[in-house]
Amino acid sequence: MTLAHDFPVWAAILVAFFVLGGSAITLVGSLGLLRLGTFYARTHAPTLGATMGMGTILCGSALYFSVLETRPVVHEVLIAVFITLTTPVTLMLLARAALYRDRAEGSPDVPAAERMEEAPQRPESAENRSEHEEPAR
Amino acid sequence: MSEFLLTWSLVLAQILLGLAMCCATFRLVTGPRAQDRILGLDTLYVNAMLMVVTFGIRSGSSLYFEAALVISLLGFVATVALAKFLMRGEVIE
């Protein structure tokens, strides 16, 4: 525990506000992951922590180190950019995989807009298979 | 004054993040299906990354920043690989 003794009070209040707010928002998102009913509802909840919670906590960290070292320290932006770029990719892949699995089983949990009446089809697998088979023929 | 404020707000933030990690771990352990477990693992990675960032603020060293960056990288790769496995049945085709 090596906090600076001469840290200015205004910066301490701002850092405390950012860090506490971000962790509270993250906790709300994780509680949503715990409490919501179906998988498709649960997918939305943790993005609270991955966007707003992550942003505010990293803002607090950048502010703390900038005031501590009396120069702008912005390397937290790296984490922010990386998480912002990767979270939609992972959640879209995961939701597509879950949708494929639920369609293949005929599960009633699939949202009404995504429900298909005909037999489930593996997306893109037909093209891939034909691409793989063409050189053999 | 500022030391008191920072100490207690960071301890409280770590308690809240620990509770969030407990929620994600519960979903990881008892998720009814595989996609719920992967979602819990992804949330656990993000929460652990934020926890490491708060540890970095508490200790005042920027060494923890690299650990947080590596955790977020590994979380992305792990979740993409697991989602691909759910979709196709294999990771590298």
Side-chain angles (χ1 to χ4, degrees):
Chain A
M1 200 65 204
T2 56
L3 285 173
H5 293 280
D6 52 349
F7 200 75
V9 176
W10 62 269
I13 290 174
L14 269 180
V15 169
F17 172 74
F18 277 140
V19 171
L20 273 181
S23 53
I25 290 171
T26 309
L27 178 60
V28 169
S30 298
L31 275 178
L33 176 72
L34 191 63
R35 296 281 302 165
L36 286 177
T38 64
F39 171 78
Y40 300 99
R42 280 195 283 266
T43 314
H44 298 274
T47 50
L48 271 181
T51 53
M52 187 84 189
M54 179 268 306
T56 46
I57 287 183
L58 291 180
C59 266
S61 174
L63 180 68
Y64 178 77
F65 284 109
S66 299
V67 174
L68 196 65
E69 302 180 14
T70 60
R71 67 187 174 88
V73 178
V74 289
H75 55 207
E76 276 82 5
V77 174
L78 261 182
I79 298 183
V81 167
F82 190 76
I83 293 280
T84 309
L85 285 182
T86 55
T87 304
V89 176
T90 56
L91 289 185
M92 271 174 66
L93 277 175
L94 193 57
R96 275 181 59 196
L99 191 59
Y100 165 66
R101 279 164 66 99
D102 279 347
R103 275 177 179 167
E105 294 174 1
S107 166
D109 286 342
V110 180
E114 299 291 336
R115 204 167 290 157
M116 284 194 315
E117 297 304 323
E118 62 265 28
Q121 206 171 11
R122 227 169 133 152
E124 298 168 22
S125 67
E127 300 170 17
N128 285 347
R129 205 166 291 146
S130 63
E131 278 174 16
H132 288 313
E133 281 175 7
E134 267 169 8
R137 275 183 223 143
Chain B
M1 171 64 189
S2 65
E3 194 183 0
F4 170 82
L5 193 61
L6 273 179
T7 304
W8 284 103
S9 66
L10 286 174
V11 166
L12 191 57
Q14 282 180 342
I15 290 173
L16 295 183
L17 283 175
L19 284 177
M21 285 174 75
C22 284
C23 294
T25 311
F26 186 81
R27 186 50 75 192
L28 175 65
V29 171
T30 70
R33 305 199 62 207
Q35 52 260 37
D36 295 294
R37 294 173 202 268
I38 297 176
L39 192 60
L41 184 69
D42 191 53
T43 315
L44 188 63
Y45 265 113
V46 172
N47 291 348
M49 191 270 294
L50 293 179
M51 182 77 111
V52 170
V53 170
T54 53
F55 267 115
I57 302 179
R58 261 185 87 172
S59 70
S61 82
S62 61
L63 275 181
Y64 285 91
F65 159 74
E66 278 102 23
L69 195 57
V70 167
I71 287 177
S72 63
L73 251 166
L74 285 183
F76 168 63
V77 174
T79 314
V80 165
L82 286 170
K84 190 99 189 326
F85 181 75
L86 275 194
M87 189 81 179
R88 299 282 189 173
E90 54 189 334
V91 178
I92 301 171
E93 308 180 71

